[in-house]
Amino acid sequence: MSAALQLARLLQLASPALPVGAYTYSQGLEWAVESGVITDETTAGRWIADLMQHGIGRYEAPLVFALMAAWTAGDSAEIARLNGEFLASRESAELRAETAQMGFSLNRLVRDLRDPDLASVESTLASLGEIAFPTGWAGLAASWKIAPEAALTAYLWSWAENQVMAALKAVPLGQAAGQRLLAELGGRIPAVAVDAQKLPEMQWSNFTPAFAIACARHETQYSRLFRS
């Protein structure tokens, strides 16, 4: 696969047009707005950056890196273990439903793409009961031979972009504010991606109590736009 085609595949994976429903989730950000923790561009940027640095970057990103290695090695037992670990790490019912729904949608997309290069991904995903979104995403990235650092950068960017889009709707913020937030977050992503590749599994951590509380409280929020 040429470098140009790898880049095109990576852009496809990171695109908000990927039909997995990511745009319908805020991951607790909507409750943070409702409760007054997020009120403007500055507080939205702080919330998203802190979560990326201390939560996504220290657990989800290194897990995606490990999953890519397992997919590349064809280690189905390790893929199943990491998939189960991620599902078990979801602190609220909405968070677990989110990753399972997006994993289900991504699994369906793998079939619908009809790409012979994804045959092993399709068969391995079929052997799993509930599929976490990072599991399927890492499988696609590995099968398309995307470099791990580039894949992690795109994964983090896609997550950050979805968070910013949620903030634009929920706070609300203007388009220029959204672009400033993305520029700031984009500047942080390369370092987070590099650190994620070096972090041993024993040091992975998603200990972010405010995030977990926000996700749990969103489940009973009276008026809301997002599913998490």
Side-chain angles (χ1 to χ4, degrees):
M1 187 180 290
S2 70
L5 182 54
Q6 287 175 350
L7 176 59
R9 293 288 187 249
L10 182 59
L11 292 171
Q12 183 178 0
L13 278 176
S15 171
L18 195 72
V20 293
Y23 68 93
T24 65
Y25 299 101
S26 81
Q27 296 195 345
L29 184 145
E30 187 175 25
W31 184 86
V33 173
E34 176 72 14
S35 65
V37 174
I38 295 176
T39 57
D40 55 15
E41 178 182 342
T42 300
T43 50
R46 184 182 305 123
W47 176 275
I48 299 169
D50 283 353
L51 183 55
M52 182 174 69
Q53 185 78 38
H54 303 294
I56 306 300
R58 292 190 59 81
Y59 184 75
E60 198 163 332
L63 179 129
V64 168
F65 179 69
L67 277 165
M68 285 191 67
W71 279 108
T72 300
D75 190 342
S76 57
E78 180 68 354
I79 293 167
R81 182 185 75 83
L82 291 168
N83 182 71
E85 291 281 347
F86 188 77
L87 288 169
S89 75
R90 302 300 82 194
E91 297 101 325
S92 71
E94 283 187 351
L95 273 184
R96 185 183 177 97
E98 174 183 341
T99 197
Q101 179 273 305
M102 290 173 62
F104 175 86
S105 297
L106 196 59
N107 181 38
R108 184 173 56 190
L109 177 63
V110 169
R111 297 194 303 268
D112 291 345
L113 284 173
R114 302 171 189 170
D115 183 346
D117 291 337
L118 300 179
S120 63
V121 177
E122 184 176 349
S123 62
T124 301
L125 291 179
S127 70
L128 300 174
E130 204 169 26
I131 301 166
F133 175 69
T135 305
W137 198 96
L140 282 164
S143 296
W144 282 337
K145 303 188 186 308
I146 296 167
E149 185 172 349
L152 284 179
T153 300
Y155 188 90
L156 290 164
W157 171 264
S158 182
W159 174 86
E161 183 178 36
N162 191 65
Q163 286 284 286
V164 169
M165 292 303 296
L168 260 62
K169 296 173 186 175
V171 174
L173 300 175
Q175 294 296 325
Q179 290 303 309
R180 285 192 295 269
L181 286 172
L182 285 172
E184 170 64 25
L185 292 164
R188 296 170 179 254
I189 284 174
V192 175
V194 169
D195 289 345
Q197 295 175 75
K198 299 187 241 181
L199 197 65
E201 186 170 353
M202 289 298 293
Q203 294 181 27
W204 294 1
S205 173
N206 67 334
F207 182 68
T208 47
F211 170 66
I213 291 169
C215 292
R217 290 190 174 177
H218 184 269
E219 294 174 3
T220 56
Q221 186 171 323
Y222 174 71
S223 177
R224 53 187 180 170
L225 299 172
F226 298 95
R227 297 170 67 183
S228 75

